[in-house]
Amino acid sequence: MTGRTPARFTADDYRARMERAVRAAGDAGLAGLLVAPGPDMVWLTGYAPPAVTERLTLLVLTPDRDPVLVVPALEAPDAAAAVGAPALTLRDWTDGKDPYAATGALLDTGGRYGVSDNAWALHLLRLQKALPDSSYDSLTEALPMLRAVKDAAELELMAAAGAAADATYEEIRKVRFAGRRESEVGADLAGLLRRFGHSQVDFTIVASGPNGANPHHEVGDRVIEHGDMVVLDFGGLKDGYGSDTSRTVHVGEPTDEERRVHDLVREAQEAGLRAVRPGVACQEVDRAARAVIADAGYGEYFIHRTGHGIGVTTHEPPYMIEGEEQPLVPGMCFSVEPGIYLPGRFGVRIEDIVTVTEDGGRRLNDTTRELVIVD
């Protein structure tokens, strides 16, 4: 995550998020939350430190005091300029002082705290040394749904990111594929995402022919040939919120089998969407999409989960996978992306971002899911 989140969020928005986080921590039996620089900090405060360094920066959220951001003195002016700064207290420290003792004074000596996953081990171990009776849980394990439910402003940003990804797909369909390397088409995708407003490109998968059977192939030096299936999967961050979409195109006319497999994945993706509604367990989305593929005899070739959450990062909880019993809630956003991968031959994946509504699900991607022929 780089830069600041959009100005449409106010200090009151960040205050409400921090209050909600403290309540969720209490419900999970935690004494509070310790949030290091990264997507959780940006989402909670609007502050993204100019660089992640060895100097301790930590947001401390506990029920017995206002939020406190412990920050190096040289970065305090940037922290004070963040949109969410009026909703918290800044406590700076200078080089040569012990920030762990200062932070420890804000905590219950025997408390159990949720810690953001990207916290440096260096900082956590030194804090634990200062408070040897304290204990820590991963924030993703303790509060997996903290950022999962988006408010109206967040959904607007998610929709805008999806529209930018859609515009990217409409343009990439016009470029030449045959005779070019996957890496060249991947560079086209990255350039288009940025043209349509993305500040960060997280991935541009261009998997042609047999490479399409590897879901995370990304790009390589293979020259795309006439007759190839090509899996395109791309996304990143626009105004701080994620996009992620996949379409599979064909260079020239496909075979009957290629059309059949593509149609099957499209039917599975539609079945996954139909399963989306409030109160349904995440695993039911996976089951619905997987059943279509398994019933057609291709079950062993669908080798990944059906979807993942998305928001201020492009992959986050909840996950659409067998065993995930978390019920869907209006405002959740996640991918629905079944696929079939035939080793040594080709792969097909179709992916949209979906948000849960009051009575079902709504796609945030609107480009055609039919098999598109490219040159």
Side-chain angles (χ1 to χ4, degrees):
M1 175 73 67
T2 58
R4 302 186 191 282
T5 51
R8 71 181 69 196
F9 297 127
T10 67
D12 286 341
D13 293 323
Y14 293 115
R15 181 179 290 107
R17 289 178 185 179
M18 288 188 280
E19 290 173 351
R20 173 151 60 100
V22 169
R23 289 194 300 271
D27 292 343
L30 299 172
L33 302 179
L34 307 178
V35 183
D40 291 317
M41 181 174 286
V42 174
W43 184 78
L44 286 163
T45 70
Y47 175 54
V52 178
T53 72
E54 72 280 7
R55 292 183 175 91
L56 179 70
T57 298
L58 200 66
L59 175 66
V60 179
L61 299 178
T62 59
D64 57 344
R65 67 174 71 241
D66 290 338
V68 177
L69 181 61
V70 178
V71 62
L74 74 168
E75 294 172 7
D78 289 323
V83 176
L88 50 79
T89 298
L90 288 179
R91 183 164 297 185
D92 63 10
W93 61 277
T94 57
D95 286 350
K97 301 294 185 181
D98 184 355
Y100 306 101
T103 304
L106 304 173
L107 307 178
D108 178 352
T109 56
R112 185 167 66 93
Y113 293 89
V115 182
S116 53
D117 295 357
N118 55 333
W120 281 28
L122 167 71
H123 298 319
L124 188 58
L125 290 170
R126 288 187 178 176
L127 188 59
Q128 194 165 34
K129 185 176 180 180
L131 297 173
D133 293 329
S134 60
S135 59
Y136 306 92
D137 287 346
S138 157
L139 199 55
T140 292
E141 292 293 327
L143 298 178
M145 296 298 112
L146 181 61
R147 304 194 316 253
V149 178
K150 278 64 177 177
D151 62 25
E154 290 181 292
L155 288 174
E156 181 181 341
L157 290 169
M158 290 293 303
D166 284 356
T168 295
Y169 179 63
E170 295 295 354
E171 289 299 313
I172 203 67
R173 290 170 51 179
K174 302 174 185 177
V175 309
R176 183 164 184 82
F177 281 69
R180 301 179 68 209
R181 297 184 186 279
E182 293 173 343
S183 56
E184 294 176 294
V185 178
D188 290 343
L189 281 171
L192 288 166
L193 284 169
R194 292 191 176 95
R195 186 208 297 182
F196 292 114
H198 281 65
S199 61
Q200 179 174 315
V201 176
D202 285 349
F203 47 88
T204 55
I205 292 174
V206 180
S208 63
N211 288 340
N214 176 359
H216 281 174
H217 168 69
E218 294 195 359
V219 297
D221 290 331
R222 183 181 186 276
V223 175
I224 301 170
E225 300 175 357
H226 188 83
D228 280 347
M229 277 281 206
V230 184
V231 178
L232 304 172
D233 184 347
F234 49 93
L237 297 181
K238 179 182 185 296
D239 293 329
Y241 282 77
S243 70
D244 185 0
T245 189
S246 300
R247 295 291 186 264
T248 302
V249 300
H250 197 277
V251 185
E253 284 298 319
T255 65
D256 289 345
E257 181 190 21
E258 288 170 332
R259 279 197 181 277
R260 185 169 64 251
V261 170
H262 188 278
D263 286 347
L264 183 60
V265 173
R266 182 166 52 83
E267 291 168 14
Q269 209 256 358
E270 184 66 35
L273 176 67
R274 289 197 302 269
V276 175
R277 59 185 182 278
V280 168
C282 291
Q283 67 181 1
E284 295 302 329
V285 179
D286 181 84
R287 288 174 176 177
R290 198 168 299 277
V292 173
I293 293 173
D295 289 349
Y298 287 89
E300 67 182 294
Y301 303 112
F302 181 9
I303 56 178
H304 56 71
R305 64 196 175 201
T306 293
H308 58 82
I310 186 171
V312 295
T313 59
T314 48
H315 288 76
E316 61 187 42
Y319 299 103
M320 307 302 114
I321 190 170
E322 182 66 32
E324 178 52 79
E325 297 181 351
Q326 166 68 40
L328 299 179
V329 177
M332 282 182 174
C333 296
F334 50 85
S335 65
V336 178
E337 50 177 308
I340 292 175
Y341 308 93
L342 302 179
R345 301 181 62 204
F346 65 89
V348 176
R349 182 164 64 257
I350 300 173
E351 173 186 16
D352 294 319
I353 299 304
V354 172
T355 185
V356 184
T357 66
E358 295 298 329
D359 58 1
R362 175 171 63 91
R363 285 185 169 105
L364 299 184
N365 296 105
D366 294 320
T367 56
T368 182
R369 292 159 203 92
E370 300 292 334
L371 182 56
V372 167
I373 309 302
V374 296
D375 294 329

